[in-house]
Each structure stands twice: as structure tokens, then as C-alpha cells.
Amino acid sequence: MKKWFAEEYNFEIRVVGFLRGDRTEGYCRNGEEIGDRYSCTYGCPVNSDGQGICSKVMMMLYPIMEAVRSGGSLANIGGSGKYVKDIVCPDGCVIFRLTAEKTGNPNFFTGRKD
């Protein structure tokens, strides 16, 4: 792969809590722990060990990340701010916090730095 475009946003996804108990054994196949962090720009989020985020969570994250890339505010879909939203995994185990940060690079489609 030869990435040729510098993306407009950096995304961080952090594990901030659990809905059932204080651990994920027996619930989460990925073994998430509070404080785990994943990051990406356009591709799938990975942690510092190069392990990817749960594919079920990625299905939820992708449209939310596209909303940010399209100029939307996460506050309009229940986020705590324009670039912050908590998401519960589809299995109802892990609470993730998605945070977006502008890089200063232009938008892929418009070429503008809005």
C-alpha cells in the first residue's frame, strides 16, 4: 500500500468503561481493558501493539467517522462535543470514546482547509 493523501482528521478511540462488571472476560473476545487506545486517520484503528479494534465496533465507528469527515458535529448525534462521542460496543460490554482532531490538512473532496 502506498498512502498518498494526508488525512484531515486523526481519530483516537479509547476504552473508558464496561457495562457489565469490572472486566471483559466472558464478554469481550478482544479482551479490552480500561485505558486501551486505538488510533487511525482513514484506515482501521490499531493499538500500540498493532492489534486492530474489534470488527463489530468498527462497523459502528465508520459512519460516525465519516460524519466528522463530512463536516458534521458529533453533538448532533449524542456526542459530548463536536469531536467527541461515547459508543457502546454491539455486544453491550465495552464503552469506547471516539475523539477526532483536525490535522490542518485539506478535505479530500473539497480540497479546502475548513
Side-chain angles (χ1 to χ4, degrees):
M1 179 169 86
K2 184 178 179 183
K3 180 79 171 149
W4 58 270
F5 183 75
E7 296 291 337
E8 184 180 10
Y9 290 94
N10 287 320
F11 293 94
E12 179 186 82
I13 300 92
R14 192 177 66 209
V15 176
V16 295
F18 306 129
L19 287 182
R20 296 186 252 175
D22 60 354
R23 58 192 174 87
T24 59
E25 285 84 359
Y27 302 113
C28 173
R29 294 170 78 164
N30 240 23
E32 303 294 356
E33 297 178 300
I34 292 175
D36 286 351
R37 294 175 187 264
Y38 297 87
S39 62
C40 66
T41 55
Y42 187 76
C44 294
V46 295
N47 64 20
S48 61
D49 295 326
Q51 299 296 312
I53 201 162
C54 170
S55 56
K56 291 180 185 180
V57 173
M58 188 58 205
M59 288 188 321
M60 297 178 70
L61 290 173
Y62 181 75
I64 296 168
M65 293 161 72
E66 283 295 284
V68 170
R69 291 183 188 110
S70 299
S73 171
L74 297 181
N76 292 338
I77 57 170
S80 61
K82 182 172 184 174
Y83 296 128
V84 180
K85 179 167 177 49
D86 287 355
I87 298 142
V88 176
C89 78
D91 291 331
C93 309
V94 181
I95 305 167
F96 294 89
R97 178 164 297 141
L98 170 70
T99 304
E101 179 183 23
K102 287 184 81 67
T103 63
N105 296 324
N107 179 275
F108 182 79
F109 294 103
T110 67
R112 293 189 317 256
K113 295 181 184 182
D114 294 332

